[in-house]
């Protein structure tokens, strides 16, 4: 039996700065973003993704019973039912039928002297993605040769999808690759096109940026960038009476144009044959989720994202 009876792939693309925090201080940063514990790469916590999906479905035309079936009942609902029932037996807290993975980073926008920015990834991201897809029995997303154990790249080299960049010096933030270190890699363009399928079809220019501006760099260089280039902003609260700053804190945020992938699955045995599966119910309501806002600082425009389902005809239900 499969761990998840059905799966869909979704892409989350940031349109404005995004802050999904950890609730604790790290070093000099008071409000850091959520990161993978092992790699330090940014992630979108699954609790954040599930919570946003639930809220938007509740705001849409989905009835409360269906929402509870998909996402589970909230604790306050359980308390209310317990207070209203005359039965002394506790009301059960049941999990929903849907499973949400964390949003894993696929490509990060890095400033450059060659262009305003490039989407940059690394072999570790692609190897982990291929491993996760194999574990869930999902075929058809990663093009060859990325479906296996990926490709071995040389240390100190940058691989580009655009042949016009090959043989020229490449500057990514403060990383400098000499002309002989910038190599065209044909399969990288196919990978960029596939990543582009995680962005809405009407966003042709953004999809083209991924296909022509995807760059693969060594793991150590990408890890170094993730430690140094995540923006940190100082925030203050002014005291109107004394005209002085009252509180000063520093917070991290993800910039626009980050691409994440999240897998949504269905728990086996949650529905019978006469009912629609939870995944099918979510698909029918996914138009509600195509434009979302997640994370903190909503009132200053943070967290605007496009949430896109990967085309089903290319990834069959597992």
């Amino acid at each position: 039996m499969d761990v998840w009876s059905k799966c869909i792939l979704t892409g989350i693309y940031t349109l404005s700065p995004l802050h999904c925090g950890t609730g604790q201080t790290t070093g000099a940063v008071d409000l850091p973003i959520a990161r993978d514990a092992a790699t330090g790469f940014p992630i979108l916590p699954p609790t954040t993704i599930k919570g946003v999906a639930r809220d938007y479905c509740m705001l849409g035309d989905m009835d409360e019973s269906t929402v509870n079936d998909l996402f589970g009942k909230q604790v306050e609902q359980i308390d209310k039912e317990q207070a209203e029932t005359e039965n002394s037996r506790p009301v059960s807290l049941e999990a929903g039928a849907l499973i949400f993975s964390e949003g894993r980073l696929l490509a990060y926008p890095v400033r450059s002297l060659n262009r305003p920015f490039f989407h940059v990834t690394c072999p570790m991201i692609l190897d982990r993605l291929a491993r996760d897809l194999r574990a869930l029995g999902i075929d058809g997303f990663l093009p060859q040769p990325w479906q296996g154990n990926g490709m071995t790249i040389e240390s100190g080299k940058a691989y580009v999808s655009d042949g016009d960049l090959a043989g020229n010096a490449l500057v990514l933030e403060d990383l400098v690759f000499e002309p002989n270190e910038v190599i065209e890699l044909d399969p990288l363009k196919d990978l960029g096109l596939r990543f582009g399928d995680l962005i809405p079809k009407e966003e042709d220019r953004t999809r083209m940026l991924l296909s022509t501006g995807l760059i693969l760099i060594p793991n150590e260089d990408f890890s170094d960038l993730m430690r140094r280039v995540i923006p940190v902003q100082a925030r203050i609260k002014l005291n109107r009476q004394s005209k002085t700053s009252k509180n000063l804190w520093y917070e991290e945020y993800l910039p626009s144009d980050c691409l994440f992938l999240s897998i949504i699955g269905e728990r086996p045995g949650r529905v019978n044959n006469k009912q629609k599966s939870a995944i099918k119910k979510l698909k029918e309501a996914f138009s509600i989720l195509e434009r979302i806002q997640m994370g903190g600082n909503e009132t200053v425009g943070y967290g605007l994202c496009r949430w896109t389902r990967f085309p089903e005809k290319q990834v069959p239900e597992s």
Side-chain angles (χ1 to χ4, degrees), residues 200-220:
K201 291 182 178 180
E202 63 267 24
E203 302 297 340
D204 292 334
R205 296 290 298 176
T206 303
R207 292 160 67 102
M208 187 183 70
L209 284 176
L210 273 167
S211 64
T212 62
L214 186 63
I215 295 180
L216 182 71
I217 64 175
N219 294 327
E220 55 271 20

Side-chain angles (χ1 to χ4, degrees), residues 8 28-29 38 81 88 90 96 107 120 142 150-151 186 201 206 214 232 245 248 267:
I8 58 173
V29 179
E81 291 180 16
S88 59
V120 179
L142 284 175
M151 298 182 64
D186 288 335
K201 291 182 178 180
T206 303
L214 186 63
V232 177
S245 60
L248 173 66
R267 296 172 61 204

Side-chain angles (χ1 to χ4, degrees), residues 14 18 20 22 32-37 39-45 102-109 125 128 222-223 225-227 229-231 252-255 258-261:
T14 61
L18 170 66
C20 286
T22 62
I33 60 170
R35 294 175 181 261
D36 181 89
T39 64
F41 298 169
I43 62 169
L44 302 179
E102 68 185 15
R104 292 204 172 181
L105 182 66
L106 292 185
Y108 186 89
I125 287 177
R128 279 185 153 200
F222 191 87
S223 296
L225 285 176
M226 293 301 97
R227 286 192 296 267
V229 305
I230 304 293
E252 282 184 315
Y253 64 88
L254 293 169
C258 294
L259 178 62
F260 292 84
L261 181 137

Side-chain angles (χ1 to χ4, degrees), residues 25 75-76 99-100 110-111 113 115 169 176 191 196 228 256 261 264 299:
T25 301
V75 175
E76 52 265 31
I99 304 169
F100 290 79
V110 177
R111 295 180 301 175
L113 293 180
R115 294 181 187 175
V176 180
L191 184 66
R228 296 186 294 103
S256 305
L261 181 137
I264 304 175
T299 58

Side-chain angles (χ1 to χ4, degrees), residues 102-311:
E102 68 185 15
R104 292 204 172 181
L105 182 66
L106 292 185
Y108 186 89
V110 177
R111 295 180 301 175
S112 175
L113 293 180
N114 304 74
R115 294 181 187 175
F117 74 91
F118 289 101
H119 283 102
V120 179
T121 188
C122 72
M124 184 182 296
I125 287 177
L126 303 179
D127 290 345
R128 279 185 153 200
L129 175 59
R131 180 197 63 191
D132 293 345
L133 297 181
R134 287 195 299 269
L136 294 173
I138 299 175
D139 298 319
F141 177 71
L142 284 175
Q144 291 288 358
W146 311 104
Q147 292 183 17
N149 294 319
M151 298 182 64
T152 302
I153 70 170
E154 299 180 39
S155 178
K157 300 293 178 67
Y159 295 82
V160 297
S161 57
D162 188 349
D164 292 339
L165 297 171
N168 297 294
L170 178 65
V171 179
L172 302 173
E173 289 287 343
D174 56 357
L175 291 178
V176 180
F177 295 92
E178 299 296 334
N180 64 325
E181 297 172 338
V182 182
I183 303 170
E184 181 181 9
L185 188 63
D186 288 335
L188 202 57
K189 181 172 290 187
D190 293 334
L191 184 66
L193 290 171
R194 189 51 48 87
F195 283 2
D197 288 331
L198 295 173
I199 297 174
K201 291 182 178 180
E202 63 267 24
E203 302 297 340
D204 292 334
R205 296 290 298 176
T206 303
R207 292 160 67 102
M208 187 183 70
L209 284 176
L210 273 167
S211 64
T212 62
L214 186 63
I215 295 180
L216 182 71
I217 64 175
N219 294 327
E220 55 271 20
D221 290 329
F222 191 87
S223 296
D224 183 54
L225 285 176
M226 293 301 97
R227 286 192 296 267
R228 296 186 294 103
V229 305
I230 304 293
V232 177
Q233 184 176 36
R235 300 284 299 275
I236 60 173
K237 180 179 180 180
L238 293 177
N239 187 320
R240 293 186 178 182
Q241 295 180 346
S242 63
K243 305 298 182 182
T244 59
S245 60
K246 186 176 180 181
N247 294 320
L248 173 66
W249 72 94
Y250 294 90
E251 64 181 27
E252 282 184 315
Y253 64 88
L254 293 169
S256 305
D257 296 290
C258 294
L259 178 62
F260 292 84
L261 181 137
S262 177
I263 305 173
I264 304 175
E266 181 180 298
R267 296 172 61 204
R270 292 293 296 178
V271 293
N272 58 45
N273 293 332
K274 295 182 180 180
Q275 296 174 318
K276 289 183 179 179
S277 74
I279 286 292
K280 286 184 178 179
K281 290 180 181 179
L282 184 66
K283 290 175 185 176
E284 293 172 357
F286 208 88
S287 59
I288 303 171
L289 305 174
E290 290 178 349
R291 297 167 178 84
I292 59 171
Q293 191 157 24
M294 66 168 58
N297 301 329
E298 178 181 352
T299 58
V300 291
Y302 276 33
L304 288 172
C305 301
R306 293 299 302 267
W307 196 356
T308 308
R309 281 195 297 121
F310 188 72

